[in-house]
Amino acid sequence: RIQVELHSDNSLNARFDILQDPPTAGVLTQDDDVVRPCEAMDAGFALWTMNPERMVGFDARSHGVHVNEQGEEKWSYVPLSGTQKTNQYSLVLTRFAFVHKDHMSSYTKQMPAAIRERVSKNLNCEDIAMSLWVSAQTNGQLPLLADAWAFHTQMKLTSDAAISTTSGHKVLRNNCVNDFADWLGLKTKGAFSTGEWVHGKNKHSMPQQWGSEGIDPDQAVTRSTHLAALLKRREYFGGMNQEEVYQEIRRMKLETERTTLYLMLQRTVSKGVDTETMRARIDQQLNRKYMRSNTEYRE
């Protein structure tokens, strides 16, 4: 059942202010222009069930530390390109992430007012605020990451009015990382650092040591059906080469996009329209799209 909540204020803080208590402890926070296959969603949720006090995300980002001309230590926001280059991360975006409902409640009720005001004023940085907030509530622990193959499954709509394309976006996020970390006490020496993003021989299946290694997938079902499915999928991807991994990702994305378009078609077409012909056109366009170069799925 879909329930739409109407908030009185037009603020990005409102995305974490759930007006009615959610029926589950875990909440998937998702941007309205992002879609991922159910298999990827399940992979992230399985990891969250093992570590419900921490965030589990798909989009890793990092922070940088430098000393300015006045001798002051400043932190800055490191985008995806820099995160990939250094293979270090410390943040996850809330565009697609699992978080405990208690963290969402505490964000709304206990977050320093200066942080919430900055988010509201600039219509930006709510993702940085939530990621750092959860780390501050868990003794500086980093957010966790869904398996690397799941990172490549994102399907994103584009918009000329996207926040990330606005003037001054990077400067705003630099200031947010620096100030929020300071106000939350994370800049204290040893309180918060970066972690390795992707490691291991198979960089598509296991970017982080989750504490689940060594568990027999056939026995894991007694702990969690989600965990058992995740371990079986890791084993599945672990036996693939790079090209086979990308082929499987394309298959999942194609099926997800096809299902989405079929549902949209079912809800929007008028009576008398030849839906079978329209479905055939959808299939033709999607097959052509996903037969193109692998480049867009590797970046």
Side-chain angles (χ1 to χ4, degrees), residues 30-67:
Q30 178 181 353
D31 284 5
D32 58 6
D33 62 349
V34 171
V35 179
R36 289 186 184 275
C38 292
E39 295 95 331
M41 190 185 304
D42 288 343
F45 180 69
L47 298 177
W48 181 85
T49 62
M50 299 167 61
N51 302 273
E53 75 284 359
R54 297 165 75 178
M55 284 183 68
V56 173
F58 292 73
D59 301 279
R61 298 294 186 269
S62 190
H63 73 276
V65 181
H66 66 280
V67 178

Side-chain angles (χ1 to χ4, degrees), residues 228-293:
L230 170 64
L231 293 179
K232 286 184 179 295
R233 187 163 292 280
R234 280 184 172 178
E235 183 180 14
Y236 175 59
F237 275 109
M240 293 181 176
N241 59 38
Q242 186 182 66
E243 183 57 35
E244 290 171 334
V245 169
Y246 286 123
Q247 288 178 1
E248 177 63 8
I249 289 172
R250 286 198 298 276
R251 182 199 64 79
M252 287 190 289
K253 293 176 72 170
L254 186 151
E255 291 303 321
T256 301
E257 193 165 348
R258 174 186 285 124
T259 300
T260 302
L261 291 174
Y262 278 3
L263 288 172
M264 292 173 62
L265 177 65
Q266 180 180 334
R267 286 166 170 73
T268 58
V269 297
S270 304
K271 291 183 178 180
V273 173
D274 186 353
T275 57
E276 290 303 317
T277 299
M278 295 184 70
R279 286 191 177 198
R281 289 177 180 174
I282 289 174
D283 290 342
Q284 184 181 43
Q285 292 176 357
L286 289 178
N287 288 333
R288 186 182 301 118
K289 173 181 177 180
Y290 286 99
M291 283 296 289
R292 289 184 308 198
S293 169

